[in-house]
Amino acid sequence: WARSTTFSPYDLMTTANCIGLCMCCIEDTCLKAPTTIMARLKCSANNRRRRSALEEFPALSFDGFEGTGNATQVVRSDEMLCGHGSVPLDNSCIVCEEGTYQSGDECVSCPIGTYQDQTGTTTCSPCSVGTSTTSTGATDPSLCIEVCQMEDVRYGVSDPPSGWIVKLGDPVTVRCSQGFQFGGQSISVTKLETCNVMPSCTRVRISTTSLNVLESSTLELNCKITAASSPELCLFYKDSQQINATEPTSLEGGVFVCETSVRLVQGGDEGSYSCSAVWEDDAEPSNEIDIRVMGLTFDSTGTVYAEEFDHTFFCAATVPSDSAVIISWTRNGQPVGERLTATSNPAIGVLNLMDISPQNQGDYQCRATYLGIGTIVSEPARIAVLGFLETLSNMDLTKGSSARLHCKPTMGDVSWTMNDSPLSTTSPSIEITSVGQDDEGLYKCQATFQGESIYSSARITVSDTGITQHPEDMTVQSGEHVTLTCTTNTDSSFKWYMNKNEVSSGVESTAKQSVMVTSPLTLRSRLQCVVSTGEEKTYFSKIGVINVIGFKTVPQDKGLPVDGEVSLLCSVGGHGLKQLVWLRSPDAKEVPSSWMESYSTGYTTSNVLTTSEVGTYYCSATFEQGYTIESERAAVTPVRVTMSSKSVALGDDVILTCIVTGAIKADLVYWTKNGELMFNDNSLSHVTGEDTSISYLTLDSVTTSDTGEYRCAASMLSDLTVYGSEAAPLRLLGFIDVVSDVVVKRGHLTEVLFSLRHQDGLKVSCDLSEGTVVMGSGDVNGDVIRFRGEVINVGGEVKEVEYSCSVTYGSNIVIKSELAKIYIVDEPTLDVASSYVLIGEVASFSLATDYITNVPSVHWRVNSLTTVQFSGSYTSSEYTSTLQWPVTHDIEVEATVHYADIGGYSIRRAVVLAYGVEGITGPEKVHLGESYNLTCSVATIDDDTVITWYKENNQLLPQSTVYYDNKISSVLNIPDVSAGDIGIYVCNAEFSDKKRSSGAFFVTQTSDCKLPSIENAFMDTSSDIITHLSVLSVTCGDETIVMKCEHGSWDQTLVFCPASQSALNTQLISGMVVLIVLVAVILGAAFFYKKHNRSNRAVTPMPRPDSISEYKRQWRDYADDSAVINNPSAEVTNVEDATIGTQYHQTLERTVTEISG
């Protein structure tokens, strides 16, 4: 076959699978392939190997190109004589080639981590420390590169899987468990940059107790990280803008927590919040939560009114879409007005104050209570009323009696007049003793505040007859009766008035006396007796002021939430209050004043106690009259709302229980999940005989969307108090990450990996349609356990393996995964239509890979640049991707196959070498008369390429053609360019495959001119090129000539300029100076000669040379040898004779050389 077949070197190498570092020998012709890719594909016949003519068969040896397997050297022999490194095969011995070693009767590929660069060996050489090969059968130590061995991916799996050797820079597919992510995705492709950092899935979750946050409260943010190592820092973001950075705190089971807070939350704090865990070379973002701020708008500007005016308060509160708000009002801490329950946004609350009186003054506040969340309280708005708490009344007095006039304004300065004459006192009371006729008149009390004045007046009459005993001022405790007497000195009829209202009950009268017994009094009262005589005269008694002291509001029992506080209200009425304090039982210890806040309105004082301590509290009020009263006791007891975490199997029903314990009974319970309000339960079950209420939340057929953190909040409608529970997570038992489809390469380790919710005593197993699974022990991390199983005993031709796994918790909970598949794929193949493609033609690449459940993702890169210009087609079992690429130079193609949904990847590379005319280089614009070179660069496939030049169909001869490796450089010289040389030049290359390639180059005449060369001319030489239509001034002798450049030529031609007169003078002077110097030199030489001349001087003979070579040296150096003295009388006058003598010496020297040789 070898003798009778005509073949090309490349065809021979392809047939022999000999594309590599090889020496293909057919008979006595050795085709040696050097190390370059180009030279691997073309062999030259420069080296020859002689073989004996007695051999029956020509020997053929070759090795494998990258990735094509291991080759052998076949030696035909009649005898089986196999030495070390060879194995027998039929009647031949196979020499184990590079990349293999002898093991028994087989040539075995060197395992990963070793190589063999020699043939016929029994071992493989290990790679140096820190390096390895990425596949078996390595043939060179350069294939030992820095690699990494894949480790387990925490909370996920990788492809290649754990234990695989991966080259730095190669892609690794990471598939994270459910809820975990790598690079912000559940499935991500990365490249290993260093072996010290392996991919690791993490879970970063940001949470807060409620997504609805009350204005002016504190927003607590919690960033929980589940990862293989602690992050260095946690970054918190609002609307993608960083707001804080904190360091993590380590918990058990690979859990780390970072916390931050936003204090005094305002409307601008509403937005989307997230966090990010930061490692040295990685960062993982969390989920995002939308925070809504529950705000309250209320005008808290203080206002002063006169009596009988109207005022309206407005209050607006934001309402979340899944909640409701109750708006209520307080004055000095005590409820006023009506509640409003609203679900629309915004909710508007209104408080109308009609005919304002001093009793309406105080601090008003709006309260917005979000059931299940909490209450917002506005800043107070103070209403001040300019009026009288007590006014003057007319009185008829008898001579010698006494009286007291009393007016008490709410504010301002007091002044008095009598019959319009000012009195000197500024006290709100005037005492009149031993009333006489001079005291009769009109008394007026005036109160002035900020320019506004109000008046109260009364007339006092004095007579001998009338009321002799008036009602007296008294101080009593709330609930007591008062007995008042009114006596006259004449027969009369009596009427009694309380607070200007006539009173008839409890009155007993005679002709001159009337006694009234009041009903139990709770408020300060003014009583007056009016007497009518038979003379139709009417007398008004003094006002008897009954100062009623007592508690108007007593503290109520309150429930104290966890880490919370409660407010207790106590208000007392009565004049003369000296002290109002809070005490705590049983030791009657006074509560610190810092816990209290007091308000006073007229004769009423309120005190609000805020405490976070459990106990029994009461108020104590002390008055000037010596009275000390105590309020009822109020118990502050803890209220606890508890829930318990639960774990449940997917699809099961579960009931969550909220237990409220404490003496305070809740009216309703609100449920939330992950901060979102779910629903309210107003049908609480109260346990008889116990301080316990229970609410139930039923979840049917639990799904993954039901998991999360649940909370319940109990609410008291009486005082709008909210009590919340701690978070109780609902977890799903079973598989955390779903058992899913995986892709593995044939011949590699096949594993199944999954994570489960851990519980003591659980058992796992997997069922396969082919083979079995050997399960390893679980890796417990907190409440998660991870299992890994190795698939064995799978047949060699199996393409798919169906499998499912199950977990058993205890005796009655069995959870089975969905059915999944293991796809076993073969390596893709990348075919090239031709490894040599003529420049200008199209190279065709075809990638074939297994088709699984969907079209795999194929990425093409041409010379390291990604392209999307390819097509694809598929059948039920195979997917083909085709790339057509125009060839302008050598092409290296890389195709990556990636099964994005289920992992797995492969990379294939191919090279196409371009041949043909790559281009012509040279000047595009030329000057007439100059000489230029055009160079044609050709990429070739062999040494038989023929290069020809043409100009307008006329063949030209190149100056030179140089061949080197796979390149040809042909140079065409254009001497003394004329107008006929302008035009298109074509370089044509014809190859051994009869294909042709051409390149064209257009040479044009430049319109610019070169600077002329004119002897004795002066011109501007700063530029060698003068542009078209530009002029050049040339000084030629005493004349200046202007030359113009037109279309590449000068309009005038100058070669020589006569020298100017100044130039001639300069030359004359220079010549005379040179002449003088020469004369001086000649005279000096003559003087020196005469001084040293000797008339009779012996000639020193030359020393005898010891060898011919020495003789030659002396002869050659004769003229300069100081040992030889020239005969001064032998003057040479004939130059021609001297030249002949020199030639004779040279001839003699050559003769001596020949003799010595």
Side-chain angles (χ1 to χ4, degrees), residues 48 52 274 545 568 639 842 1103:
R48 298 176 180 273
S52 172
S274 64
V545 178
L568 302 177
V639 174
V842 177

Side-chain angles (χ1 to χ4, degrees), residues 581-592 613 616-618:
V581 297
W582 284 91
L583 303 174
R584 182 163 56 185
S585 297
D587 53 2
K589 183 178 180 180
E590 187 172 331
V591 175
E613 296 184 2
T616 302
Y617 297 86
Y618 61 96

Side-chain angles (χ1 to χ4, degrees), residues 426-659:
T426 58
S427 172
S429 298
I430 297 178
E431 296 287 341
I432 304 176
T433 59
S434 187
V435 174
Q437 202 65 42
D438 295 338
D439 296 318
E440 190 175 64
L442 180 65
Y443 289 81
K444 184 183 292 185
C445 174
Q446 177 178 308
T448 304
F449 180 77
Q450 295 182 353
E452 297 289 336
S453 297
I454 57 175
Y455 303 91
S456 178
S457 61
R459 181 171 295 278
I460 294 180
T461 61
V462 180
S463 63
D464 294 327
T465 61
I467 301 173
T468 57
Q469 183 179 357
H470 295 263
E472 297 180 355
D473 295 342
M474 300 178 65
T475 297
V476 297
Q477 293 193 47
S478 178
E480 293 183 347
H481 300 273
V482 176
T483 301
L484 299 174
T485 301
C486 182
T487 304
T488 64
N489 56 10
T490 184
D491 292 341
S492 305
S493 60
F494 298 88
K495 288 184 179 180
W496 286 90
Y497 290 88
M498 178 184 292
N499 301 326
K500 297 183 180 182
N501 295 317
E502 184 177 356
V503 179
S504 57
S505 62
V507 177
E508 293 183 2
S509 302
T510 62
K512 296 182 178 181
Q513 181 176 319
S514 179
V515 177
M516 187 187 75
V517 180
T518 66
S519 58
L521 299 178
T522 58
L523 300 173
R524 182 184 178 89
S525 301
R526 294 161 53 91
L527 290 96
Q528 187 177 37
C529 173
V530 180
V531 178
S532 299
T533 65
E535 299 175 357
E536 295 183 356
K537 289 187 177 181
T538 301
Y539 300 94
F540 296 89
S541 71
K542 296 187 300 181
I543 301 295
V545 178
I546 310 301
N547 181 28
V548 179
I549 59 175
F551 291 100
K552 293 186 174 182
T553 305
V554 295
Q556 302 293 320
D557 293 343
K558 287 290 185 75
L560 181 66
V562 177
D563 298 330
E565 56 186 20
V566 295
S567 295
L568 302 177
L569 174 64
C570 173
S571 62
V572 64
H575 176 66
L577 178 67
K578 293 174 60 179
Q579 185 182 42
L580 178 61
V581 297
W582 284 91
L583 303 174
R584 182 163 56 185
S585 297
D587 53 2
K589 183 178 180 180
E590 187 172 331
V591 175
S593 59
S594 60
W595 295 10
M596 299 179 292
E597 188 172 2
S598 295
Y599 305 92
S600 294
T601 302
Y603 297 108
T604 300
T605 300
S606 301
N607 197 311
V608 178
L609 170 67
T610 302
T611 180
S612 59
E613 296 184 2
V614 172
T616 302
Y617 297 86
Y618 61 96
C619 283
S620 176
T622 302
F623 291 84
E624 295 174 351
Q625 297 84 350
Y627 288 98
T628 298
I629 58 177
E630 296 180 350
S631 71
E632 298 177 1
R633 271 55 174 168
V636 176
T637 57
V639 174
R640 298 294 179 262
V641 182
T642 57
M643 288 182 62
S644 58
S645 302
K646 285 201 172 184
S647 297
V648 62
L650 187 70
D652 287 353
D653 300 335
V654 65
I655 298 176
L656 302 180
T657 304
C658 177
I659 302 176

Side-chain angles (χ1 to χ4, degrees), residues 10 831-838 843-845 911-913 915 995:
Y10 174 67
D831 295 326
V832 183
S834 175
S835 295
Y836 278 120
V837 178
L838 192 68
S844 179
F845 303 87
V911 173
V912 165
L913 300 178
Y915 69 101
K995 288 188 177 182

